[in-house]
Amino acid sequence: MVRNHRVLEFYSGIGGMHYAFKASGHTGEILAAFDINNTANEVYRYNFCKEGRDVVVQRNIDSLPYTYFSSFAATLWLLSPPCQPYTRTGLQKGCADERAKSFLHVMDVLGNMERENMPEFLLVENVRGFETSSTRGALISRLTSLNYAYQEFLISPIQLGIPNSRLRYYLLAKKLPRAFSPALPAIDQVHNHIPRYIPERSSHTKQIKDYLEKLDASEGEKYRIKEKTLVKYGQLFAVYFFIKDVVKPSSQQSCCFTKGYYHYVEARGSIIQMNEDIDTTAFFSTDTTTSTVAAATVGADTVATSASTAASTYAILNLRYFTPSEISAILGFPRDFSFPEHISLKQRYRLLGNSISVEVVKRLIAYLLDE
């Protein structure tokens, strides 16, 4: 029997949860999508509300009473609350962080609803670190008191054969007496795989080139790492990107893309070395300001003699940023996803950096709702 779910999408962003639900194999209707970010809501409307009802609700969630949410009688809640209170680089204040306030309000709403109007299913997504936070403790306490069964996961897309490391925490909950099938042992254990989805071997992982666009000259120039950046960050490329962030089209991994990608260089996500012929390890293991590295990688004829040899030598690698379309594809957004033309490049990267892995959430929703 096919069931049509009634879905509320909290912290909806650009619609990653919406796409994941649509791709999960289950049917239903998104009743409302809550987000305070005006730009994200523009993108959401552009992709989902071109015709018919506008489901976007641009309100502070913590300003809405429980009776408002109860009126939807939704069967499924999808939640991706702000991650800043739980990140490794943040203050890690958990419940004491002002940015956790709206999510705690949602939990209070859940506790005040009539049982018949409470959602039967919930999915929560956040960064690694949430699982040790006081907010997680409050969430588990509330779910337990309301007779929900739950399972927790730490999953990265690379486990599903997707060449991207984006480890995230997920919690799935369903109202008792419903049960997870297949069941997982130890309710308080954070699991590292999704039932029915055995982690892929590396030989099955796709390559970066499977997600790349064919860029014309002008587009290629837009995303190329500029020489002034290479000069400014010359040594940084050697000690940081060599270690983790330079990938090739043939690579089977990439680092997590964050909201600062493209605007900042270091620690924001992988960049692509389009020149496959150069051994990256050998290149970065050598002093790039001397002729040694040039001779070792592309031949002595290319050795520059000026003080700017670092930039010209790095240019040999043909380094560029991933485009927003390439990142959205890696995250699992469908081909028909797009941004309104007026949304700036910087805004596109920020929105994608704050989004989710659609492919991972799709599988989690399928496991949550399958019975």
Side-chain angles (χ1 to χ4, degrees):
M1 177 179 177
V2 176
R3 181 177 183 183
N4 288 316
H5 287 278
R6 297 171 58 82
V7 186
L8 292 184
E9 189 179 2
F10 295 83
Y11 316 97
S12 49
I14 57 177
M17 290 286 189
H18 191 144
Y19 280 121
F21 175 74
K22 288 178 63 177
S24 70
H26 293 270
T27 60
E29 178 186 6
I30 305 294
L31 304 175
F34 303 94
D35 206 292
I36 198 63
N37 186 306
N38 182 61
T39 307
N41 288 337
E42 283 190 73
V43 178
Y44 192 103
R45 288 189 177 100
Y46 183 76
N47 285 281
F48 297 115
C49 306
K50 295 178 180 178
E51 298 178 0
R53 184 169 59 91
D54 184 355
V55 299
V56 174
V57 180
Q58 189 162 331
R59 296 276 301 277
N60 285 316
I61 291 174
D62 51 348
S63 70
L64 299 169
Y66 80 88
T67 52
Y68 173 78
F69 297 102
S70 183
S71 67
F72 287 102
T75 57
L76 171 63
W77 286 10
L78 302 173
L79 307 102
S80 183
C83 64
Q84 294 90 340
Y86 321 107
T87 59
R88 288 176 296 173
T89 57
L91 298 177
Q92 299 181 345
K93 295 170 63 177
C95 288
D97 194 302
E98 184 69 17
R99 291 164 292 191
K101 181 180 177 182
S102 65
F103 182 65
L104 294 174
H105 177 70
V106 171
M107 291 301 99
D108 287 340
V109 165
L110 188 63
N112 283 290
M113 294 175 70
E114 303 85 354
R115 184 161 179 80
E116 61 270 22
N117 288 330
M118 290 164 57
E120 296 175 46
F121 308 93
L122 297 97
L123 183 149
V124 178
E125 181 268 354
N126 215 282
V127 295
R128 182 180 188 179
F130 185 93
E131 75 279 6
T132 60
S133 70
S134 57
T135 307
R136 180 264 179 191
L139 170 61
I140 295 300
S141 177
R142 179 53 52 89
L143 292 175
T144 302
S145 70
L146 295 174
N147 293 317
Y148 280 89
Y150 66 89
Q151 296 287 356
E152 298 173 279
F153 302 86
L154 282 172
I155 304 292
S156 178
I158 204 162
Q159 297 171 234
L160 303 177
I162 302 164
N164 185 240
S165 299
R166 194 180 183 89
L167 187 64
R168 290 292 185 269
Y169 166 88
Y170 302 93
L171 178 139
L172 309 182
K174 57 175 63 180
K175 194 191 302 182
L176 293 171
R178 297 183 181 278
F180 288 94
S181 180
L184 289 170
I187 193 169
D188 288 323
Q189 178 181 340
V190 179
H191 303 280
N192 62 3
H193 74 281
I194 306 171
R196 298 196 301 270
Y197 292 100
I198 299 172
E200 296 278 4
R201 298 194 305 271
S202 60
S203 60
H204 293 163
T205 302
K206 291 184 177 181
Q207 296 180 322
I208 293 296
K209 64 183 178 183
D210 295 324
Y211 301 89
L212 298 184
E213 299 180 274
K214 291 183 179 180
L215 304 179
D216 59 30
S218 62
E219 286 289 297
E221 182 62 23
K222 181 192 302 184
Y223 299 105
R224 183 177 64 85
I225 308 292
K226 303 299 187 289
E227 286 193 5
K228 65 178 181 180
T229 302
L230 295 172
V231 172
K232 180 179 179 181
Y233 292 97
Q235 190 58 32
L236 178 63
F237 277 103
V239 300
Y240 184 80
F241 285 116
F242 160 60
I243 295 173
K244 60 187 297 187
D245 260 9
V246 169
V247 299
K248 294 180 179 180
S250 59
S251 297
Q252 291 182 300
Q253 62 181 6
S254 60
C255 292
C256 179
F257 298 101
T258 73
K259 65 181 182 180
Y261 190 72
Y262 188 84
H263 184 62
Y264 298 100
V265 177
E266 71 276 18
R268 299 301 194 276
S270 295
I271 59 173
I272 314 172
Q273 177 188 318
M274 296 302 293
N275 189 338
E276 290 264 18
D277 296 329
I278 295 179
D279 186 306
T280 314
T281 302
F283 184 94
F284 283 113
S285 297
T286 313
D287 182 0
T288 57
T289 62
T290 69
S291 61
T292 306
V293 66
T297 55
V298 295
D301 291 342
T302 64
V303 178
T305 58
S306 68
S308 63
T309 49
S312 61
T313 305
Y314 283 122
I316 296 164
L317 299 176
N318 194 3
L319 299 170
R320 74 164 175 87
Y321 296 101
F322 283 81
T323 71
S325 293
E326 291 165 348
I327 294 176
S328 67
I330 290 172
L331 292 179
F333 282 76
R335 289 173 178 260
D336 60 0
F337 168 78
S338 60
F339 291 93
E341 289 187 8
H342 71 276
I343 303 297
S344 71
L345 194 58
K346 180 180 178 181
Q347 289 174 318
R348 297 182 189 203
Y349 283 118
R350 287 184 64 84
L351 293 169
L352 288 167
N354 282 328
S355 193
I356 65 166
S357 172
V358 174
E359 285 295 321
V360 172
V361 176
K362 174 184 77 174
R363 288 164 171 80
L364 287 166
I365 291 175
Y367 172 57
L368 173 65
L369 300 183
D370 285 352
E371 297 184 278

